[in-house]
Amino acid sequence: MIRTARLALRRPEPEDIDTLAEIWGDPRVMNDLGPVKDRAMSEATLARHLDYWDHGYGFWLVERDGAPAGFAGLKPGAPDTPIEGEVEAGWMFAPAHWGQGLAQEAMAAALAWGWAHLAPPRIVAITAERNAASRRLMARLGMAHLPELAFEHPLFAADDPLRHTVTYAIDRPA
């Protein structure tokens, strides 16, 4: 578990499916991330995320005052993309927790954990080109935009605006 001034980040458990399905099923959350997930899709997504921990790292369930607020952490870079083989950072928070700096606090803790426990030369993050909020957070976290690693995400249809993907990265601190 990771603790910050306002948050607790803990490994998710299968019993967290209701919380995560609510987040992944919210059209506001998924607007710039991908399709809204039904229960079956949420269960598959949680299973995939639990499997990431076999690599020694993954996403944490983020809690504030003991209540779930979001899902954030590190995972292996998306296959069939320019970041495959890298450590990828990501996050999503329930709308009730937006605009409070919680994602930045959680991700700063996740990055610090990554530098302490993993050995990558950098950590990357990707998002849809149009996702201005995530791009601003990437910059606040000290990540630099890498235009040469922009790509068309293979999980989205050719006409889906989420297909246009940008990459940001932060180098390992000296």
Side-chain angles (χ1 to χ4, degrees):
M1 181 177 287
I2 300 172
R3 293 201 180 273
T4 70
R6 300 180 291 169
L7 305 172
L9 286 69
R10 66 169 177 80
R11 274 180 73 163
E13 301 292 335
E15 297 78 27
D16 293 317
I17 187 60
D18 291 338
T19 295
L20 293 169
E22 186 175 327
I23 293 171
W24 293 326
D26 189 320
R28 296 168 296 174
V29 173
M30 302 308 292
N31 184 59
D32 288 321
L33 301 175
V36 172
K37 292 175 177 42
D38 63 20
R39 179 65 179 217
M41 292 168 71
S42 293
E43 289 172 354
T45 299
L46 178 56
R48 187 174 64 252
H49 275 276
L50 293 174
D51 286 346
Y52 293 147
W53 284 99
D54 292 342
H55 297 274
Y57 59 102
F59 274 42
W60 292 274
L61 185 71
V62 181
E63 297 176 327
R64 184 175 187 191
D65 300 325
F71 195 57
L74 307 171
K75 68 180 194 74
D80 301 320
T81 71
I83 65 161
E84 184 172 8
E86 304 230 32
V87 175
E88 178 185 353
W91 55 88
M92 59 181 58
F93 281 75
H97 301 280
W98 290 356
Q100 301 169 39
L102 300 182
Q104 183 172 351
E105 186 173 329
M107 288 312 302
L111 290 170
W113 185 95
W115 301 132
H117 297 278
L118 305 173
R122 67 182 181 185
I123 294 175
V124 301
I126 63 172
T127 193
E129 182 178 43
R130 75 178 196 186
N131 190 345
S134 283
R135 293 179 75 174
R136 284 191 302 272
L137 177 53
M138 291 172 190
R140 284 195 307 272
L141 290 167
M143 295 183 144
H145 180 215
L146 303 177
E148 69 277 12
L149 291 183
F151 64 97
E152 299 299 307
H153 203 297
L155 295 181
F156 297 100
D159 62 346
D160 189 328
L162 297 181
R163 185 173 173 88
H164 309 297
T165 304
V166 294
T167 303
Y168 284 66
I170 185 169
D171 291 332
R172 174 176 283 285

